[in-house]
């Protein structure tokens, strides 16, 4: 098991940037595939971006390609989501998720470890 704590959310104007961080506890962070999901009140939790346990492979949903970048620092037990050119439709609660070594799935049900979430609000 790994415990996850997100930070970095907030209010930003459209076109602005934010960087989310997800700090993980536990000695085995480097063996976990990591992902960011987001959810607004009327929709299901959806995949935003993911990164393999080595950091060599990243994935992102089409709507954020070219704007969001996922990265990880295994020495700091932290995964990041750099969000640029934010749009109002990016407004949501963003969750960090971890899955033991293996592929990086895009279904929320495939992740056993979740953070508490951090709110991102993009104003027009």
């Amino acid at each position: 098991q790994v415990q996850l704590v997100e930070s970095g959310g907030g209010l930003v104007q459209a076109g602005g940037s934010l960087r989310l961080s997800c700090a993980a506890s536990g000695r085995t962070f480097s063996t976990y595939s990591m992902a960011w999901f987001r959810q607004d009140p009327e929709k299901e939790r959806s995949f935003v971006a993911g990164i393999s346990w080595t950091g060599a492979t990243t994935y992102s949903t089409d709507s954020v390609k070219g704007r969001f970048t996922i990265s990880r620092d295994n020495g700091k037990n932290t995964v990041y989501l750099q969000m640029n050119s934010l749009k109002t439709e990016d407004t949501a609660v963003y969750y960090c998720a971890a899955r033991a070594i293996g592929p990086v799935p895009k279904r929320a049900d495939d992740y056993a470890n979740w953070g508490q979430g951090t709110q991102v609000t993009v104003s027009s």
Side-chain angles (χ1 to χ4, degrees), residues 6-13 16-21 36-41 67-68 81 83 86-95 117-123:
E6 301 99 333
S7 61
L11 173 64
V12 64
Q13 286 191 326
S17 297
L18 283 174
R19 188 175 81 155
L20 305 183
S21 299
W36 287 95
F37 285 76
R38 64 187 179 188
Q39 184 173 23
D40 68 33
R67 301 189 298 123
F68 291 10
L81 185 67
M83 305 187 295
L86 282 160
K87 304 177 180 180
T88 55
E89 52 263 43
D90 294 318
T91 294
V93 177
Y94 283 70
Y95 296 90
T118 185
Q119 177 70 47
V120 171
T121 303
V122 184
S123 64

Side-chain angles (χ1 to χ4, degrees), residues 3 11 29 38 46 66 75 79 97 122:
Q3 285 73 48
L11 173 64
F29 172 76
R38 64 187 179 188
S46 62
V79 63
V122 184

Side-chain angles (χ1 to χ4, degrees), residues 62-79:
D62 287 345
S63 63
V64 308
K65 277 185 167 62
R67 301 189 298 123
F68 291 10
T69 303
I70 188 171
S71 62
R72 67 189 296 162
D73 185 337
N74 286 345
K76 295 182 178 180
N77 279 17
T78 303
V79 63

